[in-house]
Amino acid sequence: MSRIAYVNGQYVPHQEAAVHIEDRGYQFADGVYEVIPIVANKLIGEEGHLDRLWRSLDELQIDAPMKRKPLQLVMRELLRQNGIETGLIYLQVTRGVAPRDHPFPKDAVPSLVMTAKRTSLAKAEAKAEEGVAVITVPDIRWARRDIKSVSLLPNVLAKQKAVEEGAYEAFQVDDDGFITEGSSTNAWIVLQDGTLVTRPASNDILSGITRADLLKLLENKDFKVELRPFSVDELLNAREVFLTSSSSYVQPVVQVDGKSIGNGKPGSISNELRAVFKDYMNN
Ligand SMILES: Cc1ncc(COP(=O)(O)O)c(C=O)c1O
């Protein structure tokens, strides 16, 4: 089955999918995106992803390219045409095509592109069983990280550094020495007494849908949760560390900046929360 992409109203072969060189996404990173996981034909956190998409669009005064219901139909049709039951949808909206000039163009029509790819739950599972390493890097991003903008250069640089150092992710550190989040993940620690800590949603971080869904699931569990920034020192001395995202779900972290967390194996709380999240995805 050949891969199909969606570009501005048309389903086209993936290799031929293209937007104009004067698309403002290409020239100014003037656009937003979403990544939505699909597990066994279920779009995980769909409403949260669409709410966040609409919020990002509103914040940047970009018109929605279509209403919510038709957009949901396009996502399903794209999955159908690609024969995907478990995978990821990538969806991007830009302000559209216009002669290059900084102010918002008057009549540009927003561009909507979507791609879908298959992912392997078994691979994610293997990674979770082993745990991953992260490094810390300075957070050099802009002040509106709550907007899921396609302007991801600092995130790209952070992740590249992680890869070069043999790590899976880079946790970014603000000017006061507190972790903001990963390059494409939210960061969590478990204190020695079992308390879970993650940074509160604000302009400092992207409010991850996986993070929000996990917080909701935790409301029915017997965990103490603190929504507050945590320092690099707390990270290094945590009982457990894990990260959340649409593609990693709940992923245990076993090493930070070369130092083992706990006994260097995924901790029991991280494992339990991963199981809770898996259960939520599968039901
Ligand atoms: C900077 C950043 N933080 C956190 C996340 C995790 O968000 P979600 O759980 O919605 O995938 C992402 C996902 O792309 C991200 O780019």
Side-chain angles (χ1 to χ4, degrees), residues 71 143 151:
L71 187 73
S151 173

PDB file of all heavy atoms in Angstrom, residues 71 143 151:
ATOM      1  N   LEU A  71     -12.535  17.966   9.948  1.00  0.00           N
ATOM      2  CA  LEU A  71     -11.116  17.663  10.189  1.00  0.00           C
ATOM      3  C   LEU A  71     -10.966  16.249  10.764  1.00  0.00           C
ATOM      4  O   LEU A  71     -10.075  15.487  10.376  1.00  0.00           O
ATOM      5  CB  LEU A  71     -10.524  18.694  11.167  1.00  0.00           C
ATOM      6  CG  LEU A  71      -9.025  18.614  11.380  1.00  0.00           C
ATOM      7  CD1 LEU A  71      -8.296  19.143  10.151  1.00  0.00           C
ATOM      8  CD2 LEU A  71      -8.593  19.414  12.595  1.00  0.00           C
ATOM      9  N   ALA A 143       9.312  32.827  24.593  1.00  0.00           N
ATOM     10  CA  ALA A 143       8.534  32.867  25.835  1.00  0.00           C
ATOM     11  C   ALA A 143       7.116  32.313  25.688  1.00  0.00           C
ATOM     12  O   ALA A 143       6.344  32.369  26.639  1.00  0.00           O
ATOM     13  CB  ALA A 143       8.480  34.304  26.350  1.00  0.00           C
ATOM     14  N   SER A 151       7.913  26.316  14.853  1.00  0.00           N
ATOM     15  CA  SER A 151       9.241  26.910  15.044  1.00  0.00           C
ATOM     16  C   SER A 151       9.996  26.099  16.103  1.00  0.00           C
ATOM     17  O   SER A 151       9.915  26.374  17.291  1.00  0.00           O
ATOM     18  CB  SER A 151       9.064  28.357  15.493  1.00  0.00           C
ATOM     19  OG  SER A 151      10.294  28.898  15.832  1.00  0.00           O
TER      20      SER A 151
END
